[in-house]
Amino acid sequence: MKLAFPTNDKKSVEEHFGQCSYFALVDVADGKIVKTEFVASPGHAPGVMPKFLGEQKADVIITGGMGSMAIDLFAQQGIKTVLGASGIIEDLVSKYLADNLISKGSACTEHSRGSH
């Protein structure tokens, strides 16, 4: 399974996926991290990030929030969204694998450049 986390500092999850510089792509197998790589974000434009992460074979994106259109576009790529996350990526992986990271399901409803 491959988990995707938007990040700017390569340590913690960015609370709004559209504002990230990188994605941490974390491969897990048998309940353990087997590989982590950081790839540059393709930029924030409608539909670009879901398609990009689909091409990266991501199964799940874990972030603080995103708009409902992005959630739908991720679903079309077969990528599950987990919203409401914050903190250190490694900790979030552990919580997700332990089934202790539950999506708050809250989508962003207001978008203006630079506000998130």
Side-chain angles (χ1 to χ4, degrees):
M1 170 177 29
K2 186 174 285 190
L3 307 176
F5 297 86
T7 184
N8 284 318
D9 62 6
K10 297 185 178 181
K11 293 179 184 180
S12 57
V13 69
E14 172 62 34
E15 291 191 22
H16 191 283
F17 90 103
Q19 302 300 315
C20 71
S21 299
Y22 305 96
F23 283 100
L25 300 176
V26 181
D27 289 310
V28 295
D30 300 320
K32 297 181 181 167
I33 296 173
V34 295
K35 179 182 174 185
T36 301
E37 66 178 316
F38 296 92
V39 295
S41 169
H44 188 234
V48 172
M49 290 181 176
K51 182 178 179 193
F52 174 76
L53 290 176
E55 291 167 352
Q56 302 298 315
K57 308 293 186 210
D59 298 296
V60 180
I61 180 165
I62 299 173
T63 187
M66 68 176 65
S68 59
M69 184 171 92
I71 293 168
D72 292 342
L73 291 171
F74 276 110
Q76 290 172 18
Q77 292 290 325
I79 300 172
K80 177 182 174 182
T81 55
V82 177
L83 303 177
S86 64
I88 303 299
I89 292 168
E90 279 188 32
D91 295 342
L92 294 170
V93 171
S94 296
K95 286 180 181 179
Y96 184 79
L97 294 176
D99 219 16
N100 289 329
L101 186 63
I102 309 298
S103 180
K104 294 189 174 60
S106 57
C108 297
T109 57
E110 186 176 318
H111 281 88
S112 64
R113 294 204 185 273
S115 66
H116 291 290

